Amino acid sequence: MSGKTILVVDDEADILETTKVLLERSGYEVVTATNGFEALGAARICKPDLIILDVMLPGENGYRVSHTLREDEALGVYERPNRIILVTARDLSTDPEREQLFQDFAKPDRVIYKPFDLDDLVSQVGELLG
Amino acid sequence: MKTPEDNHWLERPAVSAPRLLDRSFILLRFTLIIATSYLLIAEFGTRSVPPALVAMMIVVLLSNLGAIAIPAARLRAPWFIAATIVADTVWITIALIATGRFTSEFFYLYFFVIFLAGVGENLRLIALGVTVVCVAYVVLAARTVGFNEVVSTQTLIRVPFLFSVAIFYGYLVDRLRKERHQLSREQAVSEGLERNRRALSEANEELRRLSDVKSKFVSTVSHELKSPLTAIKNAVSLIEPGADGESQVKFLEMIRRNADRLNIIIADLLDMSKAESGSLTIAADSLDLRSFLSQVMEPFKTQAEGAGIGISIEIESPESLQPVFADANRIEQVVANLLSNALKATPKGGSITLTVEDGGSEWVTITVTDDGVGLSAEDQTKVFEPFFQAENTLEGKPAGTGLGLTICRDLVRGHGSELRLESEPGVGSSFSFSLPVLSDRARETIAFENQVRTTYRAHPYFAVLIVDGGQSMSSQPAGPTLDAARDRLAKLLPRELDVLCEQPAHGRIVVVMLSTPLGGGWVVKRKLASAFAPESLGENTSRMGSFKVLGPAGFPEDGEHGSILIGRAFDRGEQLEEKS
């Protein structure tokens, strides 16, 4: 495709790898990070077209990373807003209010829930990258 | 501090009483004004009263008419009462001075009456006091000028004046006092309300914290379960017909690995939930630690060699090591977990030692020591919490569920011991626990533990110490014996020694409760008695009947040295009552 870059952030090596393989098969360039700090660094250096961000990360969690990215956008660190897909294992049904609160804080473009379908992920990525 | 009266006024309708008081304020003031006017008119006698004084009297009378229109709430206000006292004192004093006929003695008397009204406890006393004063005044006047003279002159008119002054001022001061009392009561009530509010908000905070814990637990569990599941799903969808064999194998391997991990996590979760609900059973039997421990260690040896870590087993006195009474599967689980943790925390070139100490006592202690990264003081307190994973293990993020040590602790407790931890960052960690040497008593203890766990889930860790004044108890000083018992308990359950103890007297029972939600001392005794009463045991009665208060292994029990029984429960409430 267009050679767009996607940053995938997850601390689970297997998930990281399978997601990477799949996205590469679909023609994207993939950069990976395994924790929040790496993710923020990679976002600044690589300026990816899309960030797929897991919530449960060691150190800075996904919500906070996403929040920081949005704050940096407001300060003009990035030329264009980041496109963020948040990946979470949290169950919406157990505590919807809390989850909503976190999502309002993080302001991602999309949220997908684990265990997700790779096909679904690819189609969501396709939609976001136009 | 708080008496039933404190709430009294809350219950009684407080409307009618103040109304009545307000009317009496106006009436008493009229009486005072009229009495003063009569006094003045009488003093002036046949001469005409100066117009200024007449005008003042009219103003004062009108002011009292105006008071009728003032709302009751304002009439009751302390500042209004104080202002009235000052204003009335001022105009009466001015009027008295204006006549120019009153001697300083009369003024003294006047102020004395006001003083009397001010300090008087209640109206009746004030009335009595002023009557005495007036009678004394009249008698004194009669002595100096003669009785007939007093009756015929203005002296007598001074009596009702003084009387009405006393009643009016007394009434005002009395009400001022009542107002203040009322205020302090209201304050006390509002303080009470504030206390309740604070207690409520603390309880609320606690609930919120618990809900946070629950929420965190749920999200951790779902993360732990869903991550391997996601990896499996991903890997499955990446396997496609016709792709190269090597990558297929890689994904299949990934699926197997994650399925294994899911399996472990689910087993751990089930174990933990069993432990929490008290249904984790210990199937203990005779166990020879020498062969058992080397078997358990076998798989770790190859792993340690691969990682360049020395691993060894040290048995203190192998020949005399007695068999213990323990559940082999459970102890394998514990030892394997401790060894696996040690491997994770130890760098290349480090060493791990499994030590077995008999020490000739009735407990055998097993210790797993490593010279790895160690745990910070903060981590040491959290290490037994579910899902806790230390950040500083060598591989970055530690593999595992974070449930291992929580389960280990419960399994060790099931054997009547406690999992202990000593650690220092950079030096290493050592985890140890004890197992009872095979004996009838150990059998009883563990059977008892199991029963306690299933029967008393609500209070799984309570211990009861009964110092029972037996035959020879009187010949022994009770203090040291009790201290010995307490030391023994401290060794048994080091974290939970929260001893509430009464001085033992001959023939009495001392109940020591360790870390229970019940409370302490004789209160506990009573609660226990009702908790263990046959009617509250229901269908468990027969099982309870088989319980005896046990002494844990290694503690002098019963016998000739006075009976000291340590156990984790009573068999019956009546036994307790009987002995006390």
Side-chain angles (χ1 to χ4, degrees):
Chain A
M1 271 188 228
S2 48
K4 288 193 167 161
T5 311
I6 299 175
L7 169 62
V8 183
V9 192
D10 203 308
D11 61 330
E12 300 284 338
D14 290 345
I15 295 177
L16 204 59
E17 175 159 10
T18 47
T19 314
K20 181 176 185 246
V21 169
L22 178 96
L23 291 171
E24 278 171 354
R25 276 187 197 174
S26 311
Y28 299 106
E29 290 224 6
V30 178
V31 184
T32 60
T34 56
N35 65 50
F37 294 112
E38 266 180 44
L40 286 170
R44 286 202 191 174
I45 295 163
C46 308
K47 305 244 175 345
D49 298 282
L50 178 78
I51 302 171
I52 298 175
L53 187 62
D54 185 38
V55 163
M56 287 270 208
L57 295 170
E60 290 284 278
N61 67 37
Y63 296 122
R64 292 176 61 93
V65 171
S66 180
H67 181 78
T68 310
L69 287 168
R70 294 296 186 223
E71 277 189 333
D72 286 354
E73 281 166 17
L75 292 172
V77 174
Y78 300 97
E79 287 155 21
R80 56 187 159 70
N82 289 290
R83 297 189 190 91
I84 302 170
I85 297 181
L86 208 58
V87 183
T88 174
R90 275 174 211 257
D91 209 328
L92 255 191
S93 57
T94 45
D95 202 344
E97 277 177 30
R98 202 186 178 83
E99 183 60 26
Q100 192 56 51
L101 205 73
F102 284 138
Q103 289 184 13
D104 290 348
F105 172 76
K107 298 194 194 71
D109 293 291
R110 298 277 167 99
V111 180
I112 58 173
Y113 297 93
K114 279 185 185 176
F116 53 83
D117 244 19
L118 279 185
D119 295 340
D120 182 42
L121 179 72
V122 171
S123 71
Q124 298 241 22
V125 168
E127 278 172 36
L128 273 177
L129 291 180
Chain B
M1 285 294 281
K2 211 161 168 69
T3 65
E5 286 162 338
D6 285 348
N7 292 323
H8 201 94
W9 66 278
L10 275 174
E11 290 149 21
R12 205 195 286 162
V15 185
S16 59
R19 280 270 163 85
L20 205 70
L21 285 175
D22 295 336
R23 204 165 296 156
S24 35
F25 167 81
I26 289 159
L27 286 177
L28 283 171
R29 194 149 178 268
F30 268 130
T31 316
L32 177 70
I33 295 164
I34 288 161
T36 313
S37 309
Y38 265 104
L39 180 74
L40 294 177
I41 291 163
E43 285 302 332
F44 282 103
T46 48
R47 297 176 298 137
S48 61
V49 180
L53 270 185
V54 175
M56 190 167 77
M57 301 310 297
I58 291 168
V59 167
V60 172
L61 271 171
L62 286 176
S63 84
N64 208 36
L65 281 174
I68 297 170
I70 294 174
R74 188 165 302 167
L75 282 186
R76 278 204 303 273
W79 65 266
F80 184 84
I81 296 174
T84 311
I85 290 175
V86 171
D88 285 347
T89 314
V90 167
W91 76 256
I92 291 172
T93 312
I94 290 173
L96 291 181
I97 293 169
T99 58
R101 287 178 53 94
F102 290 103
T103 57
S104 55
E105 282 85 9
F106 182 76
F107 278 99
Y108 290 147
L109 202 61
Y110 169 59
F111 286 114
F112 177 69
V113 167
I114 292 178
F115 171 75
L116 199 69
V119 298
E121 270 302 306
N122 59 45
L123 273 181
R124 219 172 295 160
L125 246 135
I126 293 166
L128 189 73
V130 81
T131 310
V132 170
V133 168
C134 289
V135 169
Y137 176 66
V138 172
V139 169
L140 278 176
R143 271 211 174 161
T144 41
V145 293
F147 184 74
N148 288 338
E149 188 67 6
V150 168
V151 175
S152 64
T153 63
Q154 299 94 334
T155 312
L156 212 54
I157 200 78
R158 292 174 185 178
V159 172
F161 165 74
L162 288 176
F163 204 82
S164 61
V165 163
I167 296 300
F168 182 66
Y169 281 87
Y171 165 76
L172 285 184
V173 171
D174 191 45
R175 206 163 68 169
L176 206 58
R177 209 175 282 145
K178 273 189 186 138
E179 282 300 321
R180 204 168 289 163
H181 194 57
Q182 173 92 347
L183 268 178
S184 72
R185 269 179 177 183
E186 271 167 21
Q187 209 171 341
V189 167
S190 76
E191 271 169 18
L193 282 175
E194 174 64 18
R195 256 201 308 280
N196 286 349
R197 196 195 59 77
R198 220 176 295 136
L200 257 180
S201 88
E202 270 165 25
N204 222 351
E205 201 52 47
E206 177 65 12
L207 272 178
R208 196 170 298 142
R209 196 189 63 78
L210 285 177
S211 149
D212 277 356
V213 167
K214 196 202 103 205
S215 181
K216 196 172 166 236
F217 182 82
V218 168
S219 70
T220 315
V221 169
S222 41
H223 178 258
E224 291 296 324
L225 289 174
K226 283 177 181 174
S227 290
L229 198 59
T230 308
I232 291 171
K233 271 188 88 171
N234 287 1
V236 167
S237 62
L238 286 172
I239 293 171
E240 37 184 41
D244 68 296
E246 204 180 309
S247 75
Q248 306 276 38
V249 169
K250 194 175 77 181
F251 290 131
L252 284 173
E253 175 61 29
M254 191 184 280
I255 292 170
R256 198 187 56 78
R257 199 170 51 233
N258 280 285
D260 283 350
R261 203 177 126 203
L262 263 183
N263 195 26
I264 293 170
I265 293 166
I266 290 168
D268 278 2
L269 279 171
L270 286 176
D271 269 355
M272 202 182 73
S273 112
K274 275 186 196 162
E276 294 224 318
S277 68
S279 54
L280 190 81
T281 48
I282 305 293
D285 207 340
S286 172
L287 183 65
D288 179 11
L289 282 177
R290 268 170 301 185
S291 55
F292 170 75
L293 287 176
S294 40
Q295 260 174 40
V296 174
M297 213 165 177
E298 207 51 52
F300 291 96
K301 266 187 181 154
T302 42
Q303 208 183 324
E305 274 161 24
I309 299 167
I311 189 164
S312 60
I313 180 164
E314 277 174 24
I315 299 177
E316 204 182 42
S317 43
E319 304 79 31
S320 64
L321 184 66
Q322 307 169 76
V324 293
F325 189 68
D327 184 332
N329 289 329
R330 296 309 191 181
I331 296 305
E332 178 178 356
Q333 205 178 336
V334 173
V335 175
N337 211 305
L338 295 180
L339 286 175
S340 138
N341 281 349
L343 274 174
K344 275 184 232 158
T346 310
K348 198 174 175 179
S351 66
I352 297 167
T353 321
L354 181 66
T355 327
V356 182
E357 290 164 285
D358 189 339
S361 78
E362 298 189 32
W363 293 88
V364 174
T365 304
I366 298 169
T367 312
V368 175
T369 313
D370 67 62
D371 56 2
V373 287
L375 287 160
S376 67
E378 196 196 340
D379 282 355
Q380 282 180 45
T381 61
K382 292 190 198 152
V383 83
F384 295 109
E385 284 173 18
F387 297 112
F388 174 79
Q389 298 192 325
E391 296 275 348
N392 65 343
T393 45
L394 295 166
E395 300 146 31
K397 186 188 155 70
T401 58
L403 292 171
L405 283 175
T406 314
I407 295 162
C408 285
R409 183 191 54 186
D410 287 319
L411 291 175
V412 167
R413 280 181 177 167
H415 286 82
S417 176
E418 187 69 26
L419 188 58
R420 298 171 289 264
L421 161 65
E422 277 172 39
S423 185
E424 203 177 314
V427 177
S429 310
S430 109
F431 285 87
S432 63
F433 61 95
S434 303
L435 293 173
V437 167
L438 180 67
S439 67
D440 286 348
R441 190 182 289 159
R443 278 182 198 280
E444 275 180 46
T445 305
I446 289 187
F448 184 76
E449 278 289 341
N450 271 330
Q451 229 159 354
V452 167
R453 292 171 80 81
T454 49
T455 316
Y456 307 116
R457 286 194 286 241
H459 318 294
Y461 305 121
F462 78 75
V464 180
L465 160 67
I466 306 172
V467 177
D468 177 17
Q471 286 296 306
S472 52
M473 194 67 180
S474 51
S475 61
Q476 262 192 339
T481 320
L482 189 69
D483 286 345
R486 200 182 296 151
D487 285 351
R488 179 66 209 171
L489 271 172
K491 277 178 199 137
L492 268 179
L493 299 164
R495 284 183 321 105
E496 278 147 349
L497 192 72
D498 178 15
V499 184
L500 303 153
C501 192
E502 293 222 5
Q503 189 60 35
H506 179 62
R508 293 182 75 190
I509 294 171
V510 175
V511 183
V512 182
M513 296 299 294
L514 303 182
S515 180
T516 80
L518 291 175
W522 292 97
V523 182
V524 169
K525 192 204 74 152
R526 217 180 49 230
K527 281 188 179 173
L528 277 176
S530 66
F532 288 87
E535 59 269 24
S536 41
L537 289 174
E539 58 190 33
N540 281 331
T541 315
S542 58
R543 286 167 70 195
M544 296 300 300
S546 67
F547 278 30
K548 282 284 169 256
V549 179
L550 293 177
F555 195 77
E557 188 191 343
D558 258 320
E560 291 115 60
H561 304 291
S563 47
I564 293 163
L565 307 170
I566 301 175
R568 289 204 167 183
F570 297 99
D571 49 353
R572 280 287 175 88
E574 306 100 296
Q575 183 186 340
L576 200 69
E577 287 303 307
E578 216 174 85
K579 286 187 178 173
S580 63

